[in-house]
Amino acid sequence: MTPEMLDKLDRYRAEMVRRNIPSGVVEQWIGAALPCATLTLDGDGPVVGRYGGPLLLPPGAPDPEFPFVASLNCADLPEKVTGLLLPPDGRLLLFAFPDLDGGGQVMYVPEGAAVEKRVITFEYYDEDPDCLEISEQYSQGELRMAADVSLPFHSSKAKATDHGWRGEDLPWAPYASIHSDLWNVDGRDFPRGGWVQVGGYALEECMDVNPVESAAMSSDETWDLEDWVLLADWNPSIEGREGFSLHWAIRRQELAARRFERVSESMHWNP
């Protein structure tokens, strides 16, 4: 982790200890820390992608199922910042619609691939004028990266049993609400346009179980939840969609093989 990440963890540790949280619990939280990259329109870090179009796809690529959110430059998102072994070049394209009946997907365009501008009309939203209005509110502009550190906010872990899945309280469960209030020790306003987070832990307002685990369970492909990672989070700044977050998760093997069509998404919305 970078010195800035370690300094943030040190300040968090001092504040939690001052609040009389057991030191063992604090160290378990800090021991679970992961690096991540936070991408915003308002930052002053390097440009690593952009919100919005134009949408450039290879001629033979299928049309996306959801509106275009952002493109990310893989070469500008190193593993030491994101904790993810992304492709060394090319672009990740994020698509999503912020609604509980919506969803998301990811497409990868290799460096040097022939591309063409693609204009998509999402006719299946035409019956709901609000949906069209929401997609028109998507942010536009350059995304700038800040290296950050991520801690888990979920208070229980999914455990596989012969009868399905059940939640098991994590050691910090009794102190989860205090942790949620104190983690952002520097304080930060909601960035203009919302943000995209790459790597780390998923963020949402109500998190009992890790959303990455929810995405893994919904895939019905593996019982090994440790095999999954958060690829990206999207927290949009859209009127009427406050409290919404969408999470893209992927198995480590699929990430290494660049099979981004195998991404599994989950979402949360607290209107």
Side-chain angles (χ1 to χ4, degrees):
M1 293 189 184
T2 66
E4 292 79 11
M5 294 176 184
L6 295 175
D7 178 67
K8 185 174 181 177
L9 288 174
D10 285 342
R11 286 182 280 117
Y12 166 81
R13 176 189 285 111
E15 181 62 21
M16 291 292 276
V17 170
R18 191 182 73 81
R19 297 290 185 102
N20 296 317
I21 306 302
S23 59
V25 171
V26 177
E27 294 308 316
Q28 285 175 318
W29 252 318
I30 291 177
L34 295 174
C36 69
T38 301
L39 316 183
T40 66
L41 295 172
D42 293 340
D44 55 9
V47 174
V48 300
R50 66 169 290 114
Y51 266 144
L55 173 58
L56 301 176
L57 290 175
D63 286 346
E65 298 178 30
F66 304 98
F68 184 38
V69 173
S71 62
L72 311 180
N73 305 326
C74 295
D76 297 324
L77 295 165
E79 184 180 9
K80 67 179 181 180
V81 175
T82 65
L84 302 175
L85 189 59
L86 297 174
D89 53 34
R91 295 176 295 122
L92 287 184
L93 308 182
L94 306 181
F95 303 87
F97 189 77
D99 189 271
L100 293 181
D101 294 325
Q105 67 186 112
V106 177
M107 300 176 73
Y108 172 62
V109 179
E111 187 73 19
V115 294
E116 61 184 10
K117 185 177 180 179
R118 190 80 60 90
V119 178
I120 311 294
T121 301
F122 292 93
E123 297 179 352
Y124 59 95
Y125 290 137
D126 285 352
E127 295 180 2
D128 186 348
D130 290 340
C131 289
L132 293 174
E133 180 182 344
I134 289 168
S135 62
E136 291 172 355
Q137 293 182 45
Y138 282 18
S139 298
Q140 303 282 324
E142 293 180 332
L143 284 169
R144 295 180 175 271
M145 180 183 74
D148 205 348
V149 61
S150 179
L151 290 184
F153 279 80
H154 51 282
S155 58
S156 62
K157 182 176 181 60
K159 300 290 287 186
T161 71
D162 292 338
H163 304 288
W165 299 91
R166 64 178 176 84
E168 181 178 274
D169 282 348
L170 290 165
W172 52 73
Y175 310 98
S177 61
I178 300 175
H179 162 63
S180 178
D181 291 339
L182 295 182
W183 168 231
N184 192 0
V185 293
D186 295 322
R188 183 182 68 178
D189 293 331
F190 195 95
R192 177 175 63 90
W195 71 86
V196 174
Q197 178 182 303
V198 182
Y201 291 98
L203 295 175
E204 62 182 42
E205 289 185 5
C206 302
M207 282 178 44
D208 294 326
V209 177
N210 186 345
V212 172
E213 294 180 352
S214 299
M217 288 185 289
S218 68
S219 73
D220 292 327
E221 291 182 5
T222 178
W223 287 64
D224 185 4
L225 302 186
E226 300 301 324
D227 192 34
W228 288 75
V229 293
L230 177 73
L231 180 63
D233 256 13
W234 178 42
N235 291 261
S237 178
I238 296 176
E239 184 177 355
R241 288 301 186 270
E242 295 83 0
F244 181 90
S245 54
L246 189 142
H247 323 293
W248 293 276
I250 190 169
R251 293 178 69 189
R252 297 179 192 275
Q253 297 95 320
E254 309 291 9
L255 176 58
R258 305 183 190 178
R259 290 193 287 261
F260 292 100
E261 73 279 2
R262 304 299 298 276
V263 162
S264 181
E265 52 79 19
S266 63
M267 64 189 73
H268 173 82
W269 185 23
N270 183 20

